[in-house]
Amino acid sequence: MSQPRNRWIVQLILALAVLTFVGISLVPIFGALTKTSSSTPSSTTSPGSVAATNQTTKLQDEVRGYELVLQREPENQTALKGLLQARLQLLTLKQGDINGVIEPLEKLAKLNPQQSEYSVLLAQAKQQIGDKEGAAQAYRAVLDTKPGDLKALQGMVALLLDQQRPEAAVGLLQETLTNAAQENTIQPGSVDAVAVQVLLGNVHATQKRYPQAISTFDQAIKKAPQDFRPVLAKAMVLKEQGKLTEAKPLFDSAVALAPAQYKDEINKAATASATPTTTTPTTPTTPTSTP
């Protein structure tokens, strides 16, 4: 499966699996890294470049202000969040670097251990600068206390695939499924088993183990026949194999089952051209549909 196509499939299904993302989105950091050069203020004096320059100056002033507050109050969360957001916005303007968001993220993650969004964003930031062990530690810190956290699972799986360790990714997800019933007994709803199965099936698909992927999706469909996610995932994999006749009724079923906000995207997925399978996928980097 080609890298762009695989990233699209994985991110679409996972975005649908993680139906809400409370708190800081993963989009700012990676959106900043993948914006085109048109986002960079040009050397001309066009109104757009002047506005970008003014915005950069304003954000830099905000950063300095928050830094002064944090010198006096190192754990002031309002200042930490403001500093983080300002530095993220500067990244969208191609100013600063990822290292600038790591320190406030580390503090926010430590101060808010129940809010996994900070730890997940920290992990992805560390992964982006090449600190894969630091990224893994951040993901594990979440999964140790919340083994069903989909954001952390997604990130850890992506990291393992990036490290060419698909069997470790499969093992992690299978262990999560094995323990799901017990975890849900302790804390009802803490593990979305269908979402984890969808993720597991997609891991198999990235390795071109299509029979295992289809079998995994079928198990999820049997478990939750009214859930559109495994139906869509199966349709996508069949389409990637060129089995358009088999995929079409599944796309139709996914559209019928899906909430209204996803129907258009599913229809687009059904009609988009398939990409030939050529290379081994790498880590998904930019969540394109994170709610």
Side-chain angles (χ1 to χ4, degrees), residues 139-186:
Y139 288 131
R140 291 192 196 103
V142 176
L143 294 173
D144 284 345
T145 57
K146 298 180 179 180
D149 189 290
L150 287 174
K151 298 177 289 294
L153 278 173
Q154 174 191 355
M156 190 66 185
V157 165
L159 177 62
L160 291 169
L161 291 177
D162 187 41
Q163 295 175 317
Q164 304 299 315
R165 299 177 61 198
E167 298 311 319
V170 169
L172 170 64
L173 295 170
Q174 288 178 333
E175 181 181 6
T176 303
L177 289 169
T178 298
N179 297 330
Q182 180 180 353
E183 293 294 335
N184 284 333
T185 299
I186 298 171

Side-chain angles (χ1 to χ4, degrees), residues 37-38 40-54:
S37 58
S38 62
T40 305
S42 66
S43 58
T44 65
T45 57
S46 67
S49 66
V50 172
T53 300
N54 290 340

Side-chain angles (χ1 to χ4, degrees), residues 59-74 76 79-80 82-84 86-87 90 100 103-104 107:
L59 289 168
Q60 289 172 338
D61 288 341
E62 289 181 8
V63 166
R64 285 190 287 271
Y66 290 127
E67 288 174 338
L68 288 173
V69 172
L70 290 168
Q71 287 177 11
R72 301 190 302 270
E73 306 170 56
N76 185 312
L80 285 168
L83 177 62
L84 174 61
R87 286 179 172 171
L90 282 169
E103 183 178 359
K107 290 182 178 179

Side-chain angles (χ1 to χ4, degrees), residues 235-247:
M236 294 296 295
V237 169
L238 288 172
K239 182 182 176 184
E240 283 304 310
Q241 296 176 83
K243 299 179 179 180
L244 302 183
T245 302
E246 294 179 48

